[in-house]
């Protein structure tokens, strides 16, 4: 089987994870990773023997001077790739798109970008098939991905009337927590509803979902509290069974000592996951409560990891090497150790 | 007018604030404060020239040795007081109650204690009159006080159908943040619903309220997000007017730079409030959103301060020196600078 | 006695404190405060009934629109002031200087600026007299002020050979801790020696002092550890007596429960100091250790407050209304409650 | 070659790391791990297919009920092991010692315990040979290990006169940061000198070293600042070469973006080290400064990881399967990826 040639633009929090995940797929080949930095971060790619590209010739010069072997610039990477996963920061990605389009190279953006930039927003369990052979898609953000996974599961079981969520967001990622964090405070998002609800509705317009969001001073993960109006009175088991229809939802139990998001992080480090990554949404099973036609639950979202399997699936969908979403999801799950 | 003689048992976060507040009332006299510590904390009371009592003779010896002038022990304080405000930590308070009862001295407990210990739970705007001339009451906790103030305001305007809240709790108080805090994590309460909803229902059984709660790593204040089902479609102004019926709800605006609980704390320090105390519930006016018959809003609760005016009112109610709750509230507000 | 007319440019962390301190002096008059913001911060000045000025006419329009009564612009403030205390952020201050000079108005800068901008660096106990009737001075930074107070005290007692310090810096101030903090990390300054040692040597070139500095994730205060080579073997009492020659060094004791900088902050809030301000350097008396000819000690510096009394003294020195530094210091101390 | 049979008592922060490290050694066999908990933590050992033992029969029952397959109790583990690595918390370890002694089983304790409990304190590069065939040793603490590695390197090059250090300690470990942390504060150790200096002197009494220590609110690692008096004027290269004589000291550069301990942690996660573990002392090469006969430098210590290679070496020394310390260190380094 011919492998899909994947290039990655932007070797940061997401880019480095996508790179490692692509390497694990037997139907993909990593052409290289592209960046602009010359410091320890890109040197890790060199240590992993990944081909490194510079954004342009000016950066190529800088990076070469810093001792980093450079294979070429972004144009070279595009030329050799069937598909580019763009993991550059917001606003920069938009500028690269012209290049991808001009060269007729398929591309994937991430949740920081607007839906309009690609015209398609991707969530594997929701709309894999609609992305097949498209030129481009946007993998929705970490928060939106988690909302779609969980609410869609309830919807599949015909349980969901409407959902109201409070989203506690990590303030910054660990690797840049020396830069722009928040300290001994909580910072609400200005607007209620916050943007995550409408973002989920781009993928599934039928969802009745409203969210509020707030930043809290920790770096590990997001944590969502939900209050869901069910279509009918239901048992806890019915709800759990609904969630079990997603292979990327994991149940955890407070009474087993998993009482906080730091303990969850430690468990995934114990499991040997790279960076302690949790690709799954972790719902507290024993905290979950059904009361009449109301459902209450909380879960944790690893904002650095949750979109990685989604991105791998999106590569298969766009390139059409797998037409069946369920098969792609199963394949991705196995490669990443999601069971 | 004969002043009510008030003794305070426990000179900690709450006790020291109640002491200062009692001193400001022209119908009360502070007999003294009682504690067991010999360190800088109680020396602040000495510096303020408050009469200091020791819990018992053993502590009296210790404290005297540490250079603290001691007026007597708890029994002496009780003997000279018309009413004791017990601000000792949970579980200790319960043991003191026998003493208060044995000497026929009225007493006030705080929210950490159970309703059953006094048989009455107090919230000034809700049930001042029901406490008049009782022997004892429990001023409900900071979170419960804020829930009662806000939901009762909506109820008075006949707007409230039911309310669902997510409570983000400060992890520990500033003065003991060197001891038992949480770091770079979030810790949900085990049970949904959390205890604050049922606690509010002790005061007003008609309230349909369910809460979830989680500790976040900051020391400043609690922050609540609410999703309220209204009895009817309403305008934002109707909701704001409902909240304005409480003199202890303050509107703040995100767009005036009050974007987080640390900025709110700084504003109250700027105002010259002692310890930067905020006795009010601070609702973000411009974030508040009405959508059909649903209301969304967020507010901040200063857990160290909100029960102070409540406690002053409770003293008046129990001792019967003011039979009109509205008058007591107005008097307390003026003394503390609540406008 | 004619009072010195003082204008304050920049109503932030330092500016608002200087304003309140000026108001407390019977030989000074606060003409007004000048800023560019239209939010809650400057409204606090309005609430305190301070005359407010806008930086220029564009900001005047903005601030007026926001409901803030404006007395005039910076030029107007300068015209009515004998002296301007510039508390604007680094780099902005430099631009204002031309205005002060053009109008022959004396001015004071703060430690963020370079020595060269004024040609004089001020530390009250070190060089008050040298600033008398100068046109301008720079009050040295919080860290440098603390170094000068403590090492000069040792020098006065002929004890100081050389000093090596490790400076743990607060990462950001409480009022802006929602913006650019550091989280769950420690960030060393790039260069050893760090700049504080040389900055102290500008005021006293004889000091043999080398420092290293690091930011830690808290907002309350700086904390310095010192290792001092003494000129001779000394007793602990000799060292303590040396420190006692400064009225702005305060001894605290770990064994009295003051085990951390949050407890110290709480103590100053208990004392009723505005914002819990600590103008003094707080040295742990019982931790201090003399071993042969080596001295080890640690102290806490309130970076928001320590330069306030220094600034008041600098006003008196520049304007010549008090020729005796010791008298100015005593007067300032009394007004601010430093005993 | 007959493999040494190693049992591990206590499957916590250190125990789980030692277990994984033992598995990597071709001259050791992991008999099993023993604990008292029934929650997610020990289930990770089950998932890794490690034989699990219960501390006693009561715990065996509890753990079995929780679904954990139990091989036996501590006595059984001891009976099958040539050596026990005790990783239980302080004070508990002391009680187990009697068992190890009674059964004539060699054992290793960690730095939390006192030297006297074993009569030997171990640091691989310092005194491997002195531990050969002993019954027991104590691997010194993370801080002490780092002090010995670095100062001994300077001593070997005949550069060290005396050393004065300021130790910034992490407040708690990530996995238990929901329990007893410190928040927005800094907490000095009561006594100067702190205990780490004397602890290093147990291993090398010739070291002239004095330390101060303070807890800061982060969970990642310790960071030490040192001021060293050299025996003579030296160049930076001489100092660097001295440090290079240790295979467990790693140079990092601030100018390559490694500006804080969170970036260092991320780099080790990028490298694929389990838990992002850093077994080495990471000295900032470009920050290091020599000035005359004074040396200034800072380094980071991963308190969860640094003693792991030391413990592996200690197993070889006690059991005598490798008489040459250098060979054991090289073997351990290779197995753990220390290069």
């Amino acid at each position: 089987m011919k492998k899909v040639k994947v290039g990655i633009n932007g070797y940061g929090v997401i880019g480095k994870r996508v790179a490692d995940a692509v390497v694990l797929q037997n139907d993909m080949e990593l052409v290289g990773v592209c960046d602009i930095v010359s410091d320890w971060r890109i040197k890790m790619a060199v240590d992993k023997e990944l081909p490194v590209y510079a954004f342009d010739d000016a950066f190529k010069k800088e990076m070469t001077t810093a001792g980093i072997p450079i294979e070429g610039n972004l144009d070279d990477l595009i030329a050799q790739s069937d598909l580019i996963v763009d993991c550059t920061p917001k606003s920069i990605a938009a500028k690269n798109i012209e290049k991808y389009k001009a060269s007729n190279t398929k591309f994937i953006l991430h949740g920081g970008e607007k839906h309009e930039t690609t015209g398609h927003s991707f969530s594997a369990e929701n709309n894999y098939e609609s992305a097949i052979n498209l030129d481009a898609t946007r993998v929705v953000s970490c928060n939106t991905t988690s909302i779609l996974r969980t609410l869609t599961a309830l919807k599949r079981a015909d349980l969901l009337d409407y959902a109201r969520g409070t989203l506690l967001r990590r303030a910054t990622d660990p690797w840049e927590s020396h830069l722009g964090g928040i300290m001994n405070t909580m910072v609400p998002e200005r607007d209620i509803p916050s943007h995550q609800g409408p973002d989920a509705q781009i993928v599934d317009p039928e969802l009745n979902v409203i969210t509020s969001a707030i930043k809290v001073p920790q770096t590990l993960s997001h944590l969502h509290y939900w209050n869901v109006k069910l279509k009918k009175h239901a048992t806890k088991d019915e709800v759990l069974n609904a969630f079990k229809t997603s292979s990327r939802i994991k149940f955890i139990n407070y009474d087993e000592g998993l009482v906080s998001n730091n303990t969850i992080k430690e468990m995934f480090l114990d499991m040997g996951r790279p960076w302690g990554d949790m690709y799954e949404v972790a719902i507290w099973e024993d905290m979950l409560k059904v009361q009449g036609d109301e459902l209450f639950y909380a879960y944790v979202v690893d904002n650095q990891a949750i979109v990685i399997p989604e991105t791998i699936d999106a590569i298969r969908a766009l390139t059409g090497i797998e037409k069946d979403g369920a098969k792609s999801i199963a394949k991705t799950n196995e490669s990443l150790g999601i069971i």
Side-chain angles (χ1 to χ4, degrees), chain A:
Chain A
M1 190 179 68
K2 195 173 147 280
K3 295 184 175 187
V4 174
K5 296 184 178 199
V6 179
I8 294 172
N9 190 15
Y11 192 70
V13 168
I14 300 298
K16 68 185 178 187
R17 283 170 169 84
V18 173
D20 282 8
V22 165
V23 167
L24 292 174
Q25 310 307 315
N26 63 11
D27 51 359
M28 300 181 193
E29 179 194 333
L30 181 67
V31 179
V33 300
C34 179
D35 211 301
I36 60 170
V37 299
S38 297
D39 62 15
W40 68 275
R41 293 172 290 177
I42 197 66
K43 286 176 182 170
M44 292 296 105
V46 177
D47 286 356
K48 289 184 181 187
E49 303 185 355
L50 306 182
V52 176
Y53 291 74
F55 181 71
D56 62 20
D57 290 341
F59 283 113
K60 183 176 173 178
K61 198 172 164 188
E62 239 179 57
M63 294 165 81
T64 305
T65 306
I68 301 154
I70 299 298
E71 301 289 324
N73 60 26
L74 178 57
D75 295 325
D76 300 325
L77 180 64
I78 294 172
Q80 296 176 62
S81 301
D82 298 322
L83 179 149
I84 296 286
V85 183
D86 191 302
C87 304
T88 57
K90 233 183 292 192
S91 78
I92 295 179
K95 294 174 192 165
N96 296 326
I97 291 175
E98 296 317 311
K99 291 199 170 188
Y100 309 144
K101 286 185 176 169
S103 63
N104 256 330
T105 307
K106 289 172 187 284
F107 62 94
I108 293 171
L109 303 182
H110 282 92
E113 307 303 319
K114 291 191 175 164
H115 171 75
E116 291 70 28
T117 49
T118 64
H120 187 269
S121 289
F122 183 88
S123 183
E125 294 182 340
N126 287 72
N127 63 0
Y128 182 97
E129 280 76 11
S130 71
I132 290 175
N133 292 330
L134 290 187
D135 287 336
T137 190
R138 176 188 71 120
V139 171
V140 295
S141 77
C142 46
N143 281 308
T144 305
T145 298
S146 72
I147 293 170
L148 285 167
R149 274 193 204 160
T150 50
L151 295 187
T152 302
L154 294 174
K155 187 183 162 192
R156 271 194 299 268
D158 201 26
L159 286 169
L160 178 69
D161 186 356
Y162 60 84
R164 303 295 176 252
T166 306
L167 283 46
L168 285 66
R169 309 183 62 180
R170 68 90 182 87
T172 191
D173 287 327
W175 87 331
E176 54 187 7
S177 70
H178 57 290
L179 284 176
I182 66 171
M183 297 172 64
N184 205 37
T185 186
M186 301 179 281
V187 187
E189 277 195 26
R190 165 62 177 84
D191 292 310
I192 304 176
S194 59
H195 72 277
Q196 294 86 0
D199 199 39
Q201 289 167 329
I202 289 173
V203 172
D204 185 349
E206 285 176 9
L207 290 180
N208 182 336
V209 53
I210 294 178
T211 55
S212 304
I214 181 166
K215 276 199 289 189
V216 301
Q218 52 90 26
T219 65
L220 297 181
S221 45
H222 304 315
L223 195 155
H224 295 190
Y225 271 94
W226 288 92
N227 173 21
V228 169
K229 190 80 181 307
L230 300 173
K231 281 197 172 173
K232 54 185 178 192
H233 284 235
T235 65
K236 180 165 178 171
D237 274 345
E238 285 178 277
V239 170
L240 294 178
N241 285 334
F243 285 138
K244 282 176 189 164
T245 61
S246 165
S247 63
R248 290 176 180 169
I249 291 176
K250 185 184 171 71
F251 291 121
I252 53 173
N253 280 288
Y254 198 96
D255 292 342
E256 286 197 359
L258 295 163
V259 301
S260 53
N261 66 334
N262 67 305
T263 47
I264 295 169
K265 181 74 182 173
E266 185 82 7
M267 183 173 72
F268 278 84
L269 284 164
D270 281 8
M271 289 164 62
R273 290 272 184 94
W275 297 282
D277 279 357
M278 181 172 77
Y279 310 114
E280 301 92 336
V281 174
I283 296 184
W284 271 288
E285 180 182 355
D286 50 3
M287 279 171 59
L288 182 148
K289 179 90 177 180
V290 185
Q291 200 159 303
D293 61 356
E294 282 188 289
L295 165 64
F296 301 87
Y297 59 98
Y299 60 69
V300 168
V301 180
D302 182 342
N303 62 292
Q304 300 190 124
I306 189 175
V307 296
I308 305 308
E310 304 286 327
T311 302
I312 296 300
D313 293 328
I315 294 172
R316 287 206 190 87
L318 289 196
T319 56
I321 55 171
E322 176 55 70
K323 299 287 196 305
D324 183 339
K327 283 188 184 163
S328 175
I329 288 172
K331 197 175 173 67
T332 304
N333 287 358
E334 197 190 348
S335 71
L336 296 177
I338 303 170
I339 34 164

